[in-house]
Amino acid sequence: MSEFFKNIPKIKYEGPKSDNPLAFKFYNPDEVIGGKTMKEHLRFSVAYWHTLQGRGSDPFGLDGTAIRPWDNITDPMDLARAKVDAIFEFCEKLDVPFFCFHDRDIAPEADNLRETNRRLDEIVARIKDRMKDSNVKLLWGTTNAFGHRRFTHGAATSNNAAVFAYAAAQVKKAMEITKELGGQNYVFWGGREGYETLLNTDMKLELDNFARFLRMAVDYKKEIGFDGQLLIEPKPKEPTKHQYDFDAATVIGFLKMHGLDKDFKLNIEANHATLAGHTFQHDLRVARIHDMLGSIDANQGDLLLGWDTDQFPTNIYETTLAMMEVIKMGGFTKGGLNFDAKVRRGSFEPVDLFYGHIAGMDAFALGFKVAYKIVQDGIFDKFIEERYASFRTGIGKDIVEGKVGFKELEAYVLEHGEPEITSGRQEMLEAILNQYILGVR
Ligand code: XLS
Ligand code: CA
Ligand code: CA
């Protein structure tokens, strides 16, 4: 087996003061916090599509800038085989326990579904073989039902029933291979499930069809005995103007409306939350309070650009707030932190792939440590508890317990007069958060 990243050693933890760019400063995989190692808490994952498939192209530069160790391999199947070796080498050197893929990332699509599936089978067998002597596992599999021109009007929400069928056949196979590889989750990201203009769109039929599609997926999951978690990944726009899985709240409402909320959880991506006009923490919170936070696509967007830039997450403020939500839900079970992130077009050398992941892993490791201390100290929890104290006694308790209606509440106001309100102390709390982030508290 050839080595692709030849001059890159296994990345080790060297501590916050290390000046070695190829070392972890905050991510110490073996460090035990609260009874689990950091590796177990954070469950990092590499995205096949960005790291192995990304070419560093953009709409103004269709020719990619990326230089990759497999550039001299021209046959598409030879390339697919080589990339299997490359993903294991990459994850092992970074001590990342998981990876994720779309069906079309691991094996190129052929002229017909039969041959496409045969190619998949061959690559899956190779991955399975590599898994035998490696600790690297599959966090989730998914389907690329948005790249091919047949999906230009959507997949499960296409106007064309034959396209709906094609998407179903593709998900069927992708779910089978995810199971075969011991994948812990299966993700539905609505690639082009949305619309460009309502002038040509039957929104009701498209949404109903989408629910039908998800129901079929649940049925098939049971039929084949796949015990992974099904996840939906919200995104408000891009590639279509409007995507049906707009944000966490929309997806949860949709799932509940169709009686599917017990079968799915959410995969929340930071950059998608900000595209929807929310903070990352907002969408994580919405998912968490509904007990539907499954997994995370760890990246960050550029708020000045306003599109899906999929950058490596380096903002400690954001990673801290995100990890507070994860810790509050009791940690990941099947989910993890998947780096759905790509190095910039200008960062074209193979070593930049390592720098990107190291930066992201350190940012989340530090965020996790800070968040763990914040949750343990309970300082914000105590504040919130106190802030809502009025709902634990008297009239507030009666409201919560459903004992009163408008008439009783009017009588309460007539008797008690103007309420006394308290300060929200936002600036004070933000200053405390800064102390935690700076490690002085
Ligand atoms: C695209 C999505 C995609 C999903 C997997 O914006 O983030 O990469 O995570 O299909
Ligand atoms: Ca994603
Ligand atoms: Ca994205």
Side-chain angles (χ1 to χ4, degrees), residues 343-412:
V343 287
R344 298 302 86 191
R345 182 171 158 84
S347 310
F348 46 77
E349 293 182 14
V351 70
D352 290 310
L353 296 172
F354 284 86
Y355 292 147
H357 283 86
I358 290 169
M361 291 163 80
D362 271 338
F364 263 96
L366 181 55
F368 169 69
K369 285 181 148 184
V370 175
Y372 191 82
K373 184 151 188 357
I374 290 174
V375 173
Q376 270 213 319
D377 290 357
I379 190 154
F380 298 116
D381 287 337
K382 274 182 219 127
F383 187 86
I384 291 172
E385 200 178 292
E386 188 51 35
R387 188 160 182 251
Y388 293 88
S390 68
F391 283 96
R392 287 195 299 274
T393 56
I395 193 73
K397 191 162 184 263
D398 289 346
I399 293 172
V400 170
E401 290 174 356
K403 289 187 180 152
V404 289
F406 277 2
K407 275 187 288 176
E408 293 79 7
L409 293 171
E410 184 193 47
Y412 176 87

Side-chain angles (χ1 to χ4, degrees), residues 47 49-50 101-102 105 140 142-146 187-191 233-235 237-239 243 267 269 271-272 275 297 299 308 310 338 340:
W49 51 102
H50 287 310
F101 63 66
H102 298 87
D105 298 330
W140 50 263
T142 187
T143 312
N144 179 336
F146 46 88
V187 166
F188 291 83
W189 168 61
E233 180 182 325
K235 186 175 185 180
K237 53 188 165 193
E238 201 194 7
Q243 305 261 135
N267 182 41
E269 176 174 323
N271 203 167
H272 296 181
L275 274 180
D297 267 9
N299 63 14
D308 194 16
D310 283 346
N338 172 49
D340 191 352

Side-chain angles (χ1 to χ4, degrees), residues 287-301:
R288 173 168 78 78
I289 62 175
H290 290 92
D291 199 17
M292 289 176 80
L293 178 53
S295 198
I296 289 179
D297 267 9
N299 63 14
Q300 71 187 30

Side-chain angles (χ1 to χ4, degrees), residues 1 84-85 88 92 121-136 180-181:
M1 203 178 325
V84 172
D85 296 341
F88 279 91
E92 280 162 7
D121 288 338
E122 184 195 320
I123 299 299
V124 165
R126 192 179 179 96
I127 295 177
K128 225 177 152 183
D129 203 47
R130 286 302 319 267
M131 280 176 165
K132 279 188 207 141
D133 49 30
S134 168
N135 293 323
V136 177
E180 175 86 12
L181 292 172

Side-chain angles (χ1 to χ4, degrees), residues 2 34 59 79 152 251 277 311 343 351 357 431 440:
S2 48
L79 191 56
T152 188
V251 172
Q311 287 164 236
V343 287
V351 70
H357 283 86
V440 294

Side-chain angles (χ1 to χ4, degrees), residues 44-113:
F44 288 127
S45 158
V46 171
Y48 221 95
W49 51 102
H50 287 310
T51 294
L52 278 290
Q53 298 289 80
R55 301 287 328 144
S57 58
D58 71 15
F60 302 95
L62 296 179
D63 288 340
T65 54
I67 299 164
R68 296 291 177 254
W70 45 83
D71 282 346
N72 60 338
I73 306 175
T74 48
D75 177 76
M77 278 305 281
D78 283 346
L79 191 56
R81 289 178 199 110
K83 283 180 182 174
V84 172
D85 296 341
I87 190 85
F88 279 91
E89 182 190 335
F90 190 76
C91 289
E92 280 162 7
K93 285 191 167 165
L94 271 171
D95 212 349
V96 166
F98 296 103
F99 65 96
C100 294
F101 63 66
H102 298 87
D103 46 5
R104 302 301 175 248
D105 298 330
I106 59 168
E109 184 158 4
D111 290 341
N112 60 72
L113 188 66

Side-chain angles (χ1 to χ4, degrees), residues 188-220:
F188 291 83
W189 168 61
R192 290 181 196 271
E193 313 292 25
Y195 65 82
E196 291 296 331
T197 171
L198 288 175
L199 293 175
N200 67 10
T201 301
D202 184 341
M203 189 195 258
K204 170 109 177 60
L205 179 64
E206 291 199 2
L207 285 168
D208 287 347
N209 279 350
F210 187 41
R212 290 183 182 106
F213 193 92
L214 295 178
R215 167 68 51 211
M216 290 179 200
V218 171
D219 290 346
Y220 194 64

